[in-house]
Amino acid sequence: MKGLSYYKAQSVEDVVDRLANLEGARILAGGTDLLLELERAGQGANLLDICFIDELRDISESAHEVLIGAACTFDQIERSGTVRTHARALSQAASTVGGPAIRNLATIGGNVANGAPAADSVPALIVLEARAKVRSAAGEREVEVEELVRAGRVHLDEGEIITRFVIPKCEGRKSAYVKLGLRRSMAVSRLSGAIGLSEAGMRFALGAVGPSACRIRSVEDILSQGVTCQDTVRRALSRLAGDIRERLGERPTAPYKQRAAQGVLLDLLSDVLDREVAVL
């Protein structure tokens, strides 16, 4: 492609400085989305490769948090025992991203920053109460992932870069993720969902049912009354279908996604409750 320049960034400070001072600078992590976008558009860009910055490729934990660098690949996340233990939904989501070659390249930061409605990692991050650390020349801020991708756009200012994701540990939390696609992992999600269940409450999020992944609070409110009660689950399923109908309106996919979302919710509940949940 014409008009491309490449720079191997040495540190986060290096990236932040170049984003502030280099016109047309774009972050290159895995490149699985960006390079295709540039090729389709026939655009040039100044690419800043962040894949060799150690602090952006590290998964670690403290007593209260799991920290995931924005340049961590989905293969790395899927294989992490720390993620599997404390953020199981994200580990499951990572396992569904593309095929092995894509998972070895695609990064979690790129998946979120790309802002696609069907981004695999976002529903899982939302139910896990994840926050993103964002850096720029002006300093660092922290924002909930749910707010970062709100209303169909990624709320990053010019010159900002996601550096890592922070997932609070929650004693006894169970979480799960389900993705529906034409094939298990080689297709863009037609619908995805994640659930987080703990003593503090329940969080339920869907992807690919609107401009961005989001929590379905109306369903959370109903299920908080007791997930073991069949009548409660039945009311939650009905409310979920109504919510999808409101979001999608008269789109041809609306009837399918209403039924599919109900199936996803039942699968997620069965997973975190360790028993089949069905409505008779």
Side-chain angles (χ1 to χ4, degrees), residues 172-239:
R173 177 172 59 199
K174 293 185 176 182
S175 67
Y177 174 89
V178 170
K179 170 181 176 178
L180 299 182
L182 297 179
R183 286 189 288 169
R184 178 180 177 274
S185 64
M186 293 298 289
V188 172
S189 171
R190 297 184 70 180
L191 189 142
S192 61
I195 199 167
L197 179 63
S198 70
E199 292 183 359
M202 171 177 289
R203 291 168 74 99
F204 171 57
L206 289 177
V209 292
S212 56
C214 60
R215 288 172 67 185
I216 311 297
R217 286 177 168 80
S218 59
V219 173
E220 293 176 353
D221 291 342
I222 293 172
L223 290 176
S224 67
Q225 300 170 27
V227 294
T228 60
C229 174
Q230 193 169 86
D231 182 61
T232 299
V233 174
R234 188 181 294 110
R235 287 191 294 114
L237 293 173
S238 177
R239 178 60 261 178

Side-chain angles (χ1 to χ4, degrees), residues 239-263:
R239 178 60 261 178
L240 177 57
D243 194 290
I244 300 298
R245 185 168 56 249
E246 292 168 9
R247 291 172 185 273
L248 298 183
E250 299 302 318
R251 296 182 192 177
T253 58
Y256 161 76
K257 290 200 172 184
Q258 288 175 45
R259 296 294 301 274
Q262 291 176 323

Side-chain angles (χ1 to χ4, degrees), residues 64-104:
H64 304 291
E65 298 172 330
V66 175
L67 307 172
I68 302 175
C72 287
T73 66
F74 284 109
D75 176 71
Q76 186 181 355
I77 292 168
E78 180 188 1
R79 291 187 291 104
S80 168
T82 296
V83 175
R84 197 175 303 117
T85 298
H86 299 288
R88 180 170 172 264
L90 183 58
S91 178
Q92 291 175 320
S95 73
T96 72
V97 177
I102 294 296
R103 289 195 292 275
N104 274 298

Side-chain angles (χ1 to χ4, degrees), residues 139-199:
E140 184 176 71
R141 66 185 177 102
E142 199 167 277
V143 57
E144 292 183 3
V145 170
E146 182 181 9
E147 287 299 309
L148 187 65
V149 300
R150 178 175 47 83
R153 61 178 291 260
V154 180
H155 296 265
L156 288 174
D157 294 331
E158 188 173 349
E160 286 190 320
I161 176 178
I162 301 171
T163 58
R164 67 179 56 205
F165 296 93
V166 182
I167 299 174
K169 291 181 178 179
C170 185
E171 187 68 30
R173 177 172 59 199
K174 293 185 176 182
S175 67
Y177 174 89
V178 170
K179 170 181 176 178
L180 299 182
L182 297 179
R183 286 189 288 169
R184 178 180 177 274
S185 64
M186 293 298 289
V188 172
S189 171
R190 297 184 70 180
L191 189 142
S192 61
I195 199 167
L197 179 63
S198 70
E199 292 183 359

